[in-house]
């Protein structure tokens, strides 16, 4: 894809040199630990009233829809890639500072990736700002935090092993650029628009957060933890909605003639490659839909495509969808 470079600094925070711990930013993780601790305690509460909450969520979604002058409306949520619940992330726990931060600057071997990530997140923020404005709602921009190895997020400490993620507590997207190698080599999804899809998916979680979908889902899950799980549970619905929202953003890049031949195929290949069934097949050798958290390859591809084709977030209501299949 062909992008103008985002203005410096754009919507990017470069923490690659911090070796996993901001010496000055340690407070955030501690605070998040308190918040997360509360949420986790909530999860252990007795389940009950789950259906009522589900109803509320759907109604809330429809209200937002009817308010949207231009038809924009979604709610929000957060994923691989949303904390809490991220495998590999330890809420409230700080990563040890490394005495030897990676030197960044000068000849930065990742300079092109940094610039591209900045351009995508800045552009996606611009697009969502406008869509929120048209529907009479306010949008607070997210930023992408680049880190190397590990990072203390508002959702606790996380290592690069968790992959890119969005933290609703601090409203930031986190990315270790080495994930692009994994995406290309392990998942077989290379190309710049595959990367753009991943970033746009995370920004999609931010959109869900801004719209209040994330907090509504969290509430339902606290009441009824089982509501989150399963092949058509809330977790999968949240993730597929973020894919659809990434597609809505991609639609605008198409309209602005930013796409190169093959870009959308790259994005759809990436969405397919990170499907739960694809990953389970390659890691544990069998597919268990009841343990899905993000949706199958076909579902992820098709919800991205749906958003891309329509360009309207109204078509991303995975919560009301009777079937998550195409
Ligand atoms: Zn996600």
């Amino acid at each position: 894809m062909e992008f103008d470079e985002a203005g410096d600094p754009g919507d990017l925070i470069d923490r690659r040199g911090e070796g996993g711990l901001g010496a000055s930013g340690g407070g955030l993780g501690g605070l998040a630990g308190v918040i997360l601790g509360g949420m986790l305690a909530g999860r252990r509460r007795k389940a009950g009233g789950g259906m009522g909450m589900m109803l509320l969520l759907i109604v809330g979604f429809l209200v937002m829809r009817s308010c949207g002058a231009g038809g924009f409306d979604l709610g929000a949520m957060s994923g691989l890639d949303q904390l809490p619940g991220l495998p590999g992330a330890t809420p409230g726990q700080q990563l040890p500072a490394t005495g030897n931060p990676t030197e960044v600057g000068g000849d930065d071997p990742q300079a092109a990736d940094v610039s591209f990530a900045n351009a995508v997140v800045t552009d996606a923020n611009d697009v969502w700002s406008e869509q929120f404005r048209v529907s009479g709602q306010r949008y607070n921009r997210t930023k992408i935090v680049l880190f190397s190895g590990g990072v203390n997020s508002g959702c606790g400490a996380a290592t690069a092993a968790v992959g890119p993620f969005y933290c609703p507590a601090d409203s930031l997207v986190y990315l270790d650029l080495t994930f692009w190698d994994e995406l290309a080599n392990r998942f077989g999804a290379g190309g710049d628009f595959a990367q753009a899809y991943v970033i746009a998916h995370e920004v999609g979680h931010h959109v869900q957060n801004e719209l209040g979908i994330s907090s509504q889902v969290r509430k339902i899950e606290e009441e009824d933890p089982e509501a989150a799980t399963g092949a058509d549970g809330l977790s999968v619905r949240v993730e597929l909605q973020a894919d659809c929202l990434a597609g809505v953003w991609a639609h605008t890049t198409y309209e602005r003639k930013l796409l190169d031949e093959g870009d959308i195929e790259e994005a759809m290949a990436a969405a397919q490659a990170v499907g739960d069934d694809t990953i389970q097949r390659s890691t544990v050798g069998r597919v268990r839909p009841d343990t899905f958290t993000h949706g199958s390859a076909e579902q992820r591809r098709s919800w991205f495509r749906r958003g891309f084709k329509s360009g309207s977030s109204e078509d991303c209501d995975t919560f009301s969808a009777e079937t998550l299949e195409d």
Side-chain angles (χ1 to χ4, degrees), residues 78-82 201-202 205 239 242 294 300:
S78 24
L80 279 290
D81 73 275
Q82 264 195 108
H201 170 98
E202 301 305 340
H205 286 313
E239 294 302 328
H294 284 68
R300 299 200 69 171

